[in-house]
Amino acid sequence: MKVSVLTIFPGFFSTPLETSIVARAIDGGALDVELVDPRDYTADAHRTVDDAPFGGGAGMVMKVEPLHRAIAERPGARVVVLTPSGTPLVQEHLDRWATEEHLLLVCGRYEGIDQRVADNLAHEEVSLGDFVLAGGEVAAAAIVEGVARLLPGVLGNPISAETESFRDGLLEEPQYTRPAEYEGWPVPDVLLSGDHAKIAAWRQRQREERTQQRRPDLWERRAKE
Ligand code: JD2
């Protein structure tokens, strides 16, 4: 699949695109990432992408024209605007976008993007969560990575509905590796017992306890059984 990222900071994506899973997805041909700078779609000598907000107020707003031109040049793409006012991002978004031929992520800066972009040019507005960033780039990088790992052939073995975290609405169990004791901090005895039924039961109990304690919202809506 192709992912186009509209950003005035294309350099922000250098390391994320050259690292680990995303780099492998690109090298293997499963993923093509195109960085698009809205400044290349401006018509004035200063390559202006922002302007003062109508109605007054602090800061600047991303202009509609450069974003419109950049989006219009990529017809057929699923257009997603990153904004703190969007629907909170969940795994189902990534599952769906990983099946698209072309995803277009629109990153704002300043105080945000002229609302006419989302209202007339985009399919959805999403947020990374209830905290404030300085722009959409971190969210776009998170989406690229989350989608890349779902593409066929990118991970060693396919992600199954049974094993993937969040699919059944429970958090993952804790993981440990050698040494069995470090600085007096032991690995839970059960994991060294070799009793696979007992280990599976312990892991399930850990997942349930963690979810109840940390994510009461998930616990109430978990997949029962
Ligand atoms: C963004 C800004 C509005 C204050 C474009 C922030 C985000 N989970 C998330 N938190 N913040 C963002 C985000 C996304 C895009 C922009 N800003 C700065 N906008 C009020 C600060 C500008 C996501 N996704």
Side-chain angles (χ1 to χ4, degrees):
M1 77 175 293
K2 177 170 176 169
V3 180
S4 300
V5 182
L6 267 58
T7 171
I8 61 168
F9 296 123
F12 182 91
F13 294 87
S14 299
T15 303
L17 296 178
E18 287 166 6
T19 304
S20 189
I21 304 291
V22 175
R24 210 147 19 105
I26 294 169
D27 286 347
L31 177 65
D32 174 25
V33 178
E34 175 194 34
L35 299 171
V36 181
D37 188 341
R39 290 194 196 281
D40 294 341
Y41 292 83
T42 55
D44 65 311
H46 294 145
R47 314 211 321 147
T48 308
V49 293
D50 64 316
D51 204 343
F54 275 125
M60 300 292 268
V61 175
M62 297 273 293
K63 291 168 65 61
V64 63
E65 303 98 312
L67 295 173
H68 183 203
R69 293 188 197 110
I71 294 166
E73 234 175 62
R74 291 160 179 82
R78 182 85 188 169
V79 179
V80 176
V81 172
L82 292 323
T83 164
S85 306
T87 302
L89 183 70
V90 292
Q91 187 61 37
E92 283 69 27
H93 289 111
L94 303 181
D95 294 345
R96 181 156 55 76
W97 296 336
T99 69
E100 294 282 346
E101 225 172 282
H102 189 182
L103 181 67
L104 196 167
L105 304 175
V106 185
C107 302
R109 278 275 153 175
Y110 314 109
E111 299 306 306
I113 302 172
D114 187 307
Q115 186 60 35
R116 290 171 291 187
V117 172
D119 289 351
N120 300 288
L121 303 171
H123 297 95
E124 37 202 332
E125 296 176 82
V126 300
S127 165
L128 205 54
D130 292 338
F131 47 87
V132 183
L133 301 168
E137 283 77 9
V138 166
I143 290 167
V144 170
E145 181 170 296
V147 164
R149 63 183 288 285
L150 296 175
L151 298 176
V154 171
L155 288 192
N157 41 332
I159 298 159
S160 75
E162 296 81 59
T163 58
E164 173 80 329
S165 178
F166 290 112
R167 306 261 181 209
D168 64 2
L170 292 179
L171 301 180
E172 295 283 85
E173 71 274 24
Q175 302 286 343
Y176 301 88
T177 188
R178 291 182 288 183
E181 185 173 316
Y182 179 73
E183 297 273 340
W185 307 328
V187 168
D189 271 336
V190 60
L191 297 178
L192 312 176
S193 69
D195 184 337
H196 297 298
K198 204 170 157 192
I199 290 168
W202 180 87
R203 285 179 166 158
Q204 184 61 22
R205 183 72 196 127
Q206 288 289 314
R207 298 186 68 200
E208 293 169 1
E209 280 182 15
R210 283 182 154 200
T211 307
Q212 288 178 63
Q213 288 174 6
R214 301 176 183 188
R215 294 295 303 275
D217 59 321
L218 288 183
W219 182 251
E220 288 309 317
R221 281 180 281 117
R222 73 193 180 282
K224 304 265 163 60
E225 279 172 77

